[in-house]
Amino acid sequence: MFFEKNILIGISGGIAVYKIAELVRAFKKNGANVRIVMTHSATRFVSPLTFETLSEHDVLTDLFPEGYSRQTAHIDWARWADIFIIAPATLNTIGKIASGIADNALTTTVMAATIPVVFCPAMNKAMYANSLYKENEQKLLEHGYSIVSPGVGELACGELGEGRLADVQSILDTARLILFGTNELKGKKVLVTAGPTEEPLDPVRFLTNRSSGKMGFALAEQAKIRGADVTLVSGPTQLLPFSNINHVTVRTAQQMHDSVFNLLPEMDVLIMAAAVSDYRPDNISAQKLKKADQTHTIDLTLNPDILHKAGLSKGNRIHVGFSVETQNELEHSMNKLQHKKCDIIVINNPLEKDAGFQVDTNKVTILDKKGAKESLPVMSKNDVANVVIDKIIQLFTKS
């Protein structure tokens, strides 16, 4: 995700310093090179040795570090980085930078930076609400810096409120958007469905499928990175959506149907990656069904076909369908593409190794309505999503 990108993290002195160890690990796990610059206050919370071990680089704590061959470390580090993330960013550090004060290694490096700089504030709720702080935050925004807003919850002082450091995933998503974001889909509204649906039998049982939602979530992320306004409608999953995506959660096929058609009229693109249950029980028991000696028969009713119905009022909207097949994949999928009026259909066979449900990879073939076929090798679902979004952009370009 951040392969060979150079991430500089500036750590100022707040209790949230301990969370930055996880942030460093997350960047490293995703292929980034990481360096750290700390204020002296920050070192009171966590030793520089911790971050040297995690980053595999020396930590910069002084403007004139001993043993450094030149006395311009702050310049060298600012030039090395692709992005500079200040986390946690205290009221004091934000106030200094907003006022043009450079009196330590961190603030001086920020002043030398010509790369994107992202502040992740963390402080007590009263400090965060202070009007002087708000003025300083606004000054940073006006000067082109970015802010990852803090979360709401329990603070170190025991109070509840806004001011806790944003979660690691939000910081990663912001960095990814800044480093890789484009405007190719700017102004376009994209609706993505993802995950399974669940059809209740009784208060404790339901019918479902093996979908994890990973493919749909990856598509939503890639559409957002390309500049689209993205809404993700998902069934039950364990996944967190990419930051700044409108996320609508549903359970049943009917609920997904209703959500999709409430949103669809304003959309430019529909990507139906959800594994929607074809059937639902005819009757839902109000009480748990008891086990009996004899077999039990469940009558099923057909669920609405969301993609087919959407195709009836398609207009100029781009429709992308997904086809899970275990035999005669091309024949069945081409029939689906034509019957459901898709522009593109993505085929995968869950019986193939490293493809299908509950894995991070997929092996797909992509068909379009003109008969073109592209078979992709096994690749990450994120890479598959990239290819699909590329094809959507090409359709807009040709229209």
Side-chain angles (χ1 to χ4, degrees), residues 41-188:
S41 294
T43 67
R44 300 286 297 273
F45 290 94
V46 177
S47 164
L49 179 60
T50 298
F51 294 110
E52 288 174 354
T53 303
L54 293 174
S55 70
E56 301 178 283
H57 285 287
D58 291 339
V59 170
L60 185 64
T61 58
D62 292 294
L63 270 173
F64 309 107
E66 291 184 12
Y68 200 76
S69 59
R70 301 193 306 158
Q71 297 308 312
T72 55
H74 57 290
I75 303 293
D76 296 341
W77 286 43
R79 288 175 178 169
W80 170 84
D82 294 304
I83 190 171
F84 194 176
I85 298 170
I86 318 299
T90 60
L91 182 147
N92 184 53
T93 292
I94 287 173
K96 284 181 177 181
I97 294 168
S99 302
I101 297 171
D103 64 350
N104 59 35
L106 194 160
T107 55
T108 305
T109 305
V110 171
M111 293 302 173
T114 58
I115 52 173
V117 178
V118 181
F119 290 85
C120 305
M123 62 196 74
N124 174 267
K125 66 178 184 179
M127 298 168 72
Y128 185 67
N130 187 286
S131 59
L132 288 172
Y133 168 78
K134 293 298 185 184
E135 288 178 14
N136 286 331
E137 185 179 274
Q138 185 59 36
K139 285 174 69 175
L140 294 179
L141 292 171
E142 290 170 358
H143 283 277
Y145 297 111
S146 299
I147 306 283
V148 181
S149 298
V152 177
E154 186 175 359
L155 306 175
C157 60
E159 295 179 333
L160 295 175
E162 190 173 16
R164 61 185 294 158
L165 183 70
D167 61 79
V168 167
Q169 192 58 53
S170 293
I171 299 171
L172 291 175
D173 289 350
T174 299
R176 185 161 167 73
L177 198 57
I178 289 171
L179 289 171
F180 303 105
T182 69
N183 291 321
E184 293 162 291
L185 288 175
K186 186 176 182 180
K188 303 297 184 184

